[in-house]
Amino acid sequence: MDIVTVKIETSFEKNVQNGNPLLYKDAIATSMNLEEGQVIDVVTKQNKFIGRGYYAIQNKGIGWILTREKNVPIDSAFFEQHLKKAIDKRAPYFKDSQTTAFRVFNGEGDGIGGFTVDLYNNYLLIQWYSIGIYKYKSWIVDSLQKLLDVDGIYEKKRFDHNGTYLEDDDFVSGKKADFPLDILENGVKYAVNLNEGAMTGIFLDQRDVRKTIRDKYAQGKTVLNTFSYTGAFSVAAAVGGSLSTTSVDLANRSKQKTADNFLLNNIDLTSQKIIVEDVFHYFKYAVKKQLSFDMVILDPPSFARSKKHTFRAAKDYTNLLKEAIAITNTGGIIVASTNCATFDMKKFKSFIDAAFSHQKERYQIVEQFGLPNDFANIKEVKESNYLKVVFIKKLK
Ligand code: SAH
């Protein structure tokens, strides 16, 4: 493919020159008909070279700068080099026999925006965020097969402008896995399936949060886990010695999957409630029944629509917190989590402050988390640093 030179709009010049590899919508001045995956040399209006990258429409923008050096070929060796570097950087993860699932390559955080690679035991999962990067699939898959001794590879196509998953058979190559696969995370087992829709059963970016709940906050406590999905936080709490857990999720699938995760860790189900219900309805029920908990976990999606509710984290998180505060025991902990990329930690803390003020309660932040180290990030791309988790103690 020939390389096409494109001019950047003056208003975007500084941003890209200062190290941001993401080309935002409207950043490219020429009205050329660029093809998905096209290699581009990005220059200023004065024809000064800024960097070489590729064109691709995805949720975050219209392409990525891949190198700031002139005339670097974007070929299979280029991909292999970056993948190798990312793998080498994660040597401590590969060595840890108690954790068998983690992120191996995190897009622009590892030098190439547009795709991620996760390891689940001996299987890889590649997530593609544009048709453009998908054109480089064979180079990436071949490199991974060369660099890592895995049994097979699966993929998720998230080509849509919102990063929405495209339903498909997600098997790519190697040997097909026998799902569910039981992965280990800090010694705890979780069941995953890499070929069952958009999600795998576990969100790997919450690893440190699960460990903290288990090691520091669960012992002897009553735990409410809302938006519980496969119950991963509940399992972490139960392994950490919680008195009881209550998991609430709207999706029917959550019931069996949560029970399976408990059983995988030899946890007796008698003290674990699994409820299929709208969380907002459950809060009302809990108040009516005067239920309260030592720990309440909130991990809603950034956007969710149920029959009665539309929840938008950026607008509704404060209200969600108010409901949680009302049923948290004094001295108890609220774990507030969000993966919403449109606001930062400072804003998230302002929601927490507003909710406690409204409830006329005092609080103290006792822990906070962003993305773990395997989810490598660069400061220039703020929207990639989405995860915010705060442990809040409700004071007397
Ligand atoms: N906390 C989970 C991940 C949550 S994913 C974990 O750590 O694994 C978001 C979940 O919220 C999905 O399972 C979805 O079914 C659920 N959900 C969305 N809206 C909901 C609502 N109004 N009430 C209950 N669950 C909801």
Side-chain angles (χ1 to χ4, degrees), residues 8-28 42-44 48-51 60-65 68 108 378-384:
I8 193 142
E9 284 292 351
T10 315
S11 58
F12 290 92
E13 210 180 286
K14 257 226 169 75
N15 183 274
V16 179
Q17 253 172 344
N18 286 346
N20 191 341
L22 178 57
L23 299 170
Y24 291 100
K25 191 174 163 284
D26 304 326
I28 289 171
V42 180
V43 300
T44 65
K48 187 174 156 261
F49 177 81
I50 302 181
K60 289 176 187 161
I62 54 162
W64 296 94
I65 299 282
R68 306 269 167 181
E108 70 278 13
I378 49 172
K379 63 177 189 314
E380 287 83 4
V381 191
K382 293 206 173 57
E383 46 276 74
S384 297

Side-chain angles (χ1 to χ4, degrees), residues 263-287:
L263 294 173
L264 213 49
N265 293 284
N266 301 315
I267 289 159
D268 184 358
L269 290 180
T270 42
S271 304
Q272 328 302 336
K273 280 207 187 81
I274 308 169
I275 301 173
V276 176
E277 195 178 10
D278 190 318
V279 162
F280 298 98
H281 189 261
Y282 182 80
F283 278 125
K284 304 248 160 352
Y285 164 85
V287 169

Side-chain angles (χ1 to χ4, degrees), residues 332-396:
I333 298 282
I334 295 172
V335 178
S337 169
T338 181
N339 59 6
C340 188
T342 63
F343 57 86
D344 62 5
M345 185 58 114
K346 195 167 163 223
K347 182 102 188 177
F348 191 38
K349 285 183 177 171
S350 79
F351 297 161
I352 294 167
D353 199 63
F356 274 88
S357 301
H358 182 274
Q359 298 297 103
K360 300 195 170 53
E361 297 284 356
R362 294 187 331 116
Y363 71 96
Q364 185 194 351
I365 290 176
V366 291
E367 308 270 352
Q368 85 180 47
F369 296 86
L371 287 168
N373 289 335
D374 49 329
F375 283 67
N377 241 283
I378 49 172
K379 63 177 189 314
E380 287 83 4
V381 191
K382 293 206 173 57
E383 46 276 74
S384 297
N385 206 354
Y386 55 88
L387 189 68
K388 296 166 277 292
V389 186
V390 181
F391 286 45
I392 315 151
K393 187 170 190 173
K394 181 173 166 184
L395 301 176
K396 270 209 215 46

Side-chain angles (χ1 to χ4, degrees), residues 26-38:
D26 304 326
I28 289 171
T30 43
S31 54
M32 283 190 252
N33 253 337
L34 293 171
E35 241 182 75
E36 284 280 333
Q38 171 70 52

